[in-house]
């Protein structure tokens, strides 16, 4: 059986997906911009991807799409890209946290209904998807997928039958949704972006010449040389048509709950999320770790890639030299044959290897972004010691995971979280580390310039939206 290489590295976290949309007012094709934008967002999802485009001056029901299982360059080749003709479109990269990993669940979703077509790409997770799905099913809806994104698409289509414009239908549908959603939606004549009232997942607006774009991260704007305009506000509905940008803030509220883990791990370090530099956030996390958990050592190293910048911050704060102790294999594709039990370490070693010359005989501070089950960290500590490291002091640039996430991150249930089942000393012992330190949750706000409008429920249990009574992720398959 083939599996995602990331799944082989047990304990590695994933974000659900990345979204991208484009509308060219000069009627130029947008598929190539979406393609390169998705490349820049590939870190947000490696299971599947897709692009759907349309012509704003053509027939209302005509949408051309290409999607499938795999990375962007595996699914969309030059020939397929040339066939995606249209000046408006949406794109998506996915990692599943709700809904099975299969071709039927790839996005964007394209819906044909009496008012025309909808193309929809969704980042996030609804906590009331099951109730909404049941309600829609009893009124005749037939579902083709097992993802909550299809519930959103159906709601918008139904609301459109009663609304004067698609953006009003989106707003009215939002009133029924609970949980996390950043959406890019293509109607026959409009590109729409929407963000849930808490702003769990990021979404921003950019522009190049007369082409408007919506993207999960600013790094995707950089990839197509688009100028950053601003972030979509939590609760805001953005409509882009031939007359430019229009904003509806009816659903905006005072309290936001932006995912703090975007800054710690998910977003690319060259991105800005809600006007905060992800790079600076990780430097700050490393500095705080050094202040809270100092240690005498000879070198500071980061676990690629998300641990690298925090390790630099730790080194800057302490004056301990920063070094690159790991070589990462950049050519490991999406699929990977499961190693036999006798070579069960292979999954980690294929992805990472230690530079013995860097760590041999040294006291090493190893900085990583998180520990989930602990299996990966244990293997990496062992690799460092096998390479000759005299001591390995593990520092984690986030607090311990104590609660599952229901908002688009696959933090598992408590029984699978090492921090729920063992004390700090026991975790340290299980990892084989000489010491262990986590970031203090009380200082998380320093990562986002003092803004306290963030969600840290996976660390604190303080859910901004009441979580389901049981873990509903994957229930659509039952």
């Amino acid at each position: 059986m083939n599996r995602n290489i990331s799944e082989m590295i047990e304990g590695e976290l994933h974000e659900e997906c990345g979204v991208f949309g484009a509308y060219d007012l000069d009627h130029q094709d947008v598929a190539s911009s979406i393609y390169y934008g998705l490349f820049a967002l590939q870190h947000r999802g490696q299971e599947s991807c897709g692009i759907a485009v349309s012509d704003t001056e053509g027939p209302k029901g005509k949408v051309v799409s290409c999607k499938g299982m795999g990375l962007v360059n595996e699914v969309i080749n030059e020939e397929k890209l040339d066939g995606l003709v249209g000046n408006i479109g949406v794109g998506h990269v996915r990692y599943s946290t709700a809904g099975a990993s299969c071709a039927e669940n790839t996005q964007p979703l394209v819906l044909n209904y009496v008012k025309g077509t909808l193309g929809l790409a969704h980042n996030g997770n609804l906590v009331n998807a099951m109730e909404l799905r049941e309600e829609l099913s009893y009124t005749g809806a037939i579902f083709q997928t097992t993802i909550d994104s299809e519930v959103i698409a159906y709601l918008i289509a139904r609301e459109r039958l009663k609304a004067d414009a698609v953006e009003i239908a989106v707003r009215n549908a939002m009133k029924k949704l609970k949980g996390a959603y950043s959406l890019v939606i293509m109607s026959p004549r409009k590109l729409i972006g929407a963000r849930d009232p808490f702003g769990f997942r990021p979404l921003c607006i950019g522009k190049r010449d007369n082409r408007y774009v919506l993207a999960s991260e600013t790094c995707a704007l950089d990839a197509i040389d688009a100028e950053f305009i601003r972030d979509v506000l939590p609760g805001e509905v953005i409509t882009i048509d031939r007359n430019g940008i229009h904003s509806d803030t009816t659903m905006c509220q005072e309290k936001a709950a932006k995912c703090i883990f975007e800054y710690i791990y998910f977003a690319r370090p060259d991105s800005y999320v809600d006007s905060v530099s992800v790079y600076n956030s990780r430097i700050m996390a490393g500095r705080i770790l050094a202040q809270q958990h100092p240690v005498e050592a000879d070198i500071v190293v980061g676990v690629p890639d998300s641990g690298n910048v925090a390790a630099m911050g730790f080194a800057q704060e302490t004056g301990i030299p920063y070094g690159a102790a790991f070589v990462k294999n950049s050519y490991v594709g999406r699929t990977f044959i499961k190693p036999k039990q006798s070579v069960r370490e292979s999954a980690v070693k294929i992805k990472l290897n230690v530079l013995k010359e860097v760590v041999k005989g040294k006291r090493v501070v190893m900085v990583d972004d998180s520990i989930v089950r602990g299996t990966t960290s244990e293997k990496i500590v062992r690799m460092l010691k096998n390479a000759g490291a005299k001591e390995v002091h593990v520092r984690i640039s986030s607090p311990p995971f104590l609660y599952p996430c229901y908002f688009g991150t696959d933090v598992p249930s408590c029984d699978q979280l090492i921090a729920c089942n063992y004390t700090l000393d026991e975790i340290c012992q299980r990892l084989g580390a000489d010491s262990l330190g986590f970031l203090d949750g009380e200082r998380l706000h320093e990562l986002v310039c003092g803004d306290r409008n963030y969600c840290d429920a996976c660390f604190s249990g303080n859910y901004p939206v009441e979580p389901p009574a049981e873990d509903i992720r994957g229930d659509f398959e039952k």
Side-chain angles (χ1 to χ4, degrees), residues 322-337:
Y322 169 80
F326 298 98
V327 175
K328 183 178 180 182
N329 186 346
S330 301
Y331 301 98
V332 177
R334 181 185 166 269
T335 55
F336 186 75
I337 298 170

Side-chain angles (χ1 to χ4, degrees), residues 403-476:
Y403 305 91
C405 174
Y406 300 99
F407 309 116
T409 307
D410 64 345
V411 179
S413 55
C414 295
D415 60 338
Q416 298 180 61
L417 294 170
I418 192 170
C420 285
N421 298 290
Y422 299 97
T423 66
L424 189 67
D425 288 341
E426 288 171 338
I427 296 171
C428 184
Q429 187 175 1
R430 289 178 70 87
L431 299 184
D434 292 275
S435 70
L436 172 64
F438 288 88
L439 189 77
D440 186 347
E442 293 298 317
R443 298 190 66 177
L444 281 172
H445 65 280
E446 296 178 44
L447 276 57
V448 285
C449 304
D451 182 5
R452 294 182 182 271
N453 286 310
Y454 58 80
C455 176
D456 65 351
C458 52
F459 307 130
S460 68
N462 297 322
Y463 294 99
V465 177
E466 186 176 351
E470 58 183 349
D471 196 340
I472 60 169
R473 297 170 296 179
D475 266 7
F476 290 172

Side-chain angles (χ1 to χ4, degrees), residues 86-391:
N87 69 313
I88 188 171
V90 293
H92 189 267
V93 290
R94 178 175 189 254
Y95 175 84
S96 61
T97 61
S101 175
C102 59
E104 290 78 7
N105 288 342
T106 57
Q107 295 187 45
L109 298 177
V110 177
L111 209 64
N112 293 290
Y113 69 120
V114 70
K115 290 283 188 176
T117 57
L118 281 178
L120 179 142
H122 166 219
N123 176 21
N125 230 40
L126 302 181
V127 297
N128 67 333
M130 288 299 295
E131 301 97 286
L132 291 173
R133 187 182 176 96
E134 186 175 4
E135 178 186 318
L136 288 165
S137 295
Y138 275 107
T139 57
I142 300 172
F143 291 90
Q144 306 297 318
T145 77
T146 59
I147 52 177
D148 53 0
S149 310
E150 191 177 14
V151 172
I152 299 173
Y154 267 125
L155 277 177
I156 294 170
R158 294 214 165 181
E159 290 296 332
R160 180 66 180 94
L161 301 179
K162 302 178 286 185
D164 293 333
V166 65
E167 59 268 34
I168 297 174
V170 171
R171 183 188 69 200
N172 290 341
M174 287 170 65
K175 295 175 182 177
K176 299 180 180 180
L177 304 176
K178 294 179 183 178
Y181 53 91
S182 283
L183 307 170
V184 290
I185 302 160
M186 172 184 64
S187 78
R189 305 289 184 258
K190 297 172 182 176
L191 180 68
I192 296 165
R195 200 172 173 195
D196 70 76
F198 287 97
F200 285 105
R201 298 290 155 212
L203 192 63
C204 64
I205 311 167
K207 189 173 187 283
R208 179 182 177 181
D209 301 325
N210 220 14
R211 177 172 299 183
Y212 287 94
V213 295
L214 297 166
S216 290
E217 293 183 37
T218 59
C219 67
L221 307 183
D222 296 337
I224 62 165
D225 202 25
E227 175 190 359
F228 171 75
I229 296 177
R230 67 177 178 87
D231 294 290
V232 177
L233 299 173
E236 185 178 20
V237 179
I238 289 290
T239 305
I240 301 169
D241 59 20
R242 60 187 176 184
N243 298 313
I245 297 179
H246 314 277
S247 169
D248 182 346
T249 57
T250 304
M251 294 293 292
C252 293
Q253 60 185 31
E254 187 175 341
K255 173 64 177 173
K258 294 165 278 192
C259 176
I260 195 68
F261 216 59
E262 289 284 350
Y263 302 93
I264 295 167
Y265 175 66
F266 291 134
R268 255 176 45 172
D270 53 330
S271 285
Y272 286 76
V273 174
D274 288 306
S275 301
V276 173
S277 162
V278 175
Y279 176 85
N280 287 343
S281 293
R282 292 179 188 170
I283 288 286
M284 179 58 71
R287 287 186 172 276
I288 294 170
L289 269 178
Q291 295 164 12
Q292 294 180 325
H293 304 287
V295 64
E296 290 187 9
D298 303 306
I299 190 169
V300 181
V301 303
V303 178
D305 288 309
S306 51
N308 288 340
V309 179
M312 291 168 60
F314 194 101
Q316 289 174 13
E317 184 71 16
T318 61
I320 301 170
Y322 169 80
F326 298 98
V327 175
K328 183 178 180 182
N329 186 346
S330 301
Y331 301 98
V332 177
R334 181 185 166 269
T335 55
F336 186 75
I337 298 170
K338 183 179 180 181
K340 296 177 181 178
Q341 185 68 17
S342 59
V343 287
R344 62 188 181 278
E345 303 294 332
S346 295
V348 174
K349 289 185 177 179
I350 286 293
K351 190 173 183 181
L352 288 179
N353 202 15
V354 178
L355 287 163
K356 298 179 178 67
E357 294 80 1
V358 174
V359 302
K360 188 174 181 179
K362 293 180 180 177
R363 299 167 297 176
V364 178
V365 178
M366 183 191 100
V367 181
D368 204 355
D369 59 86
S370 60
I371 297 178
V372 186
R373 298 172 180 87
T375 50
T376 300
S377 299
E378 178 188 353
K379 291 169 185 175
I380 297 174
V381 169
R382 190 184 310 132
M383 286 166 61
L384 287 169
K385 292 204 169 184
N386 288 344
K390 191 160 73 172
E391 297 173 6

